[in-house]
Amino acid sequence: MAARSEIDLQKLPAHVAVIMDGNGRWAKKKGGLRIFGHQSAITAVRETVEAAAELGIRFLTLYAFSTENWARPAHEVTALMQLLVHTIRQETPILLKNGVKLQAIGQLDSLPVSCQRELAEAIELTQKGERTTLVLALSYSGRWDLVQATRRLGADVAAGKLRADEVTEHTIAGYLSTAAMPDPELLIRTSGEQRISNFLLWQLAYTELYITDLLWPDFRREHFYEAIREYQRRERRFGKTSEQLTVS
């Protein structure tokens, strides 16, 4: 397991995204209900956010609730929303202490009013955080993000604000919900599942994937450090050869 001291602070990813998976399986192994796993995952979230802030990772995006998660049993969704409200309220003072600015992406208007209210308040309170921006992906899907971006872009073309032949990759990126941040350079996924689950589909085009068999409630800051060290061991070529990188 990599120690904090083994990390090269000059080669940090600017943006780390995390698919927090395995809460239900963790709870089942412990003989508890699925919501027990979600409750137990709060420590993993706190330690990951603190580790990112300590290192100076500029952006940390957590896939907290997908569009597809609305299809789960109603009692679980209700419990998750209640937990979200409680957690935001509980963690906001810690975010302030650690210099973390909170943001959120997704179909936020689909969240219960109480969640929207707590989220908006926490975002407002933490706006002066300068160490790390924590982005919660809530009621989010990568396909939704592309659809909403395409609709807005198309509307601007129809209104004459933009010509179709002016549209580039950079243009499209500017209409996504993540327009204000760089694409993730590292994606961490727990529970051993080897898929991206409709998360940041455009943005993950050249992201390094780090998959661990750990279930999310067991994830701790030392595991985050190990993911960063693994990222730093890799050669990011973006289609070039190793020799080209050496020359440049």
Side-chain angles (χ1 to χ4, degrees):
M1 190 66 65
R4 160 73 171 76
S5 59
E6 297 174 13
I7 294 173
D8 185 345
L9 298 179
Q10 303 306 311
K11 297 182 179 180
L12 292 171
H15 185 178
V16 177
V18 184
I19 298 177
M20 308 178 292
D21 195 20
N23 293 349
R25 276 167 282 175
W26 185 90
K28 187 176 181 179
K29 286 174 61 176
K30 303 290 184 180
L33 298 175
R34 290 178 60 86
I35 191 60
F36 173 56
H38 298 310
Q39 291 168 337
S40 300
I42 295 173
T43 300
V45 171
R46 184 183 301 128
E47 291 213 9
T48 299
V49 173
E50 289 181 346
E54 175 193 352
L55 292 175
I57 303 292
R58 289 172 52 208
F59 294 92
L60 174 69
T61 299
L62 304 182
Y63 202 10
F65 192 85
S66 72
T67 303
E68 292 79 7
N69 287 156
W70 289 112
R72 290 187 175 184
H75 65 85
E76 182 177 348
V77 172
T78 299
L80 277 169
M81 291 299 110
Q82 292 173 345
L83 180 61
L84 177 61
V85 169
H86 172 76
T87 303
I88 291 173
R89 186 179 300 150
Q90 173 182 283
E91 298 297 314
T92 296
I94 300 174
L95 297 179
L96 286 167
K97 177 182 176 182
N98 291 323
V100 177
K101 178 166 66 174
L102 182 65
Q103 295 291 331
I105 57 174
Q107 301 175 72
L108 304 181
D109 56 359
S110 67
L111 299 173
V113 173
S114 58
C115 290
Q116 294 183 46
R117 183 170 55 247
E118 289 291 339
L119 188 60
E121 183 176 339
I123 288 173
E124 177 64 27
L125 287 172
T126 61
Q127 279 310 288
K128 293 184 179 180
E130 297 182 347
R131 297 182 71 181
T132 296
T133 297
L134 170 62
V135 183
L136 296 181
L138 293 164
S139 193
Y140 176 89
S141 84
R143 288 182 174 179
W144 162 82
D145 206 355
L146 288 168
V147 168
Q148 67 85 26
T150 303
R151 286 175 174 170
R152 291 169 53 218
L153 190 156
D156 281 351
V157 170
K161 298 178 181 178
L162 181 71
R163 294 202 319 268
D165 60 4
E166 293 177 324
V167 176
T168 64
E169 290 185 11
H170 179 74
T171 308
I172 294 171
Y175 283 85
L176 295 170
S177 62
T178 54
M181 63 188 82
D183 289 343
E185 293 158 284
L186 173 65
L187 170 69
I188 300 170
R189 176 158 192 159
T190 57
S191 87
E193 301 291 352
Q194 301 189 39
R195 57 180 179 270
I196 58 175
S197 297
N198 200 6
F199 184 43
L200 300 175
L201 296 179
W202 175 280
Q203 299 90 331
L204 294 178
Y206 269 102
T207 300
E208 296 294 325
L209 308 183
Y210 178 85
I211 297 172
T212 173
D213 289 332
L214 274 174
L215 301 178
W216 178 247
D218 290 327
F219 197 84
R220 294 294 181 268
R221 67 176 65 235
E222 59 266 25
H223 303 120
F224 186 79
Y225 296 152
E226 177 57 32
I228 298 297
R229 282 293 293 120
E230 173 59 28
Y231 165 83
Q232 293 184 338
R233 294 185 191 106
R234 299 184 187 179
E235 183 180 69
R236 290 170 57 75
R237 296 190 299 274
F238 298 98
K240 297 181 179 180
T241 66
S242 298
E243 291 73 19
Q244 285 177 299
L245 294 178
T246 302
V247 171
S248 62

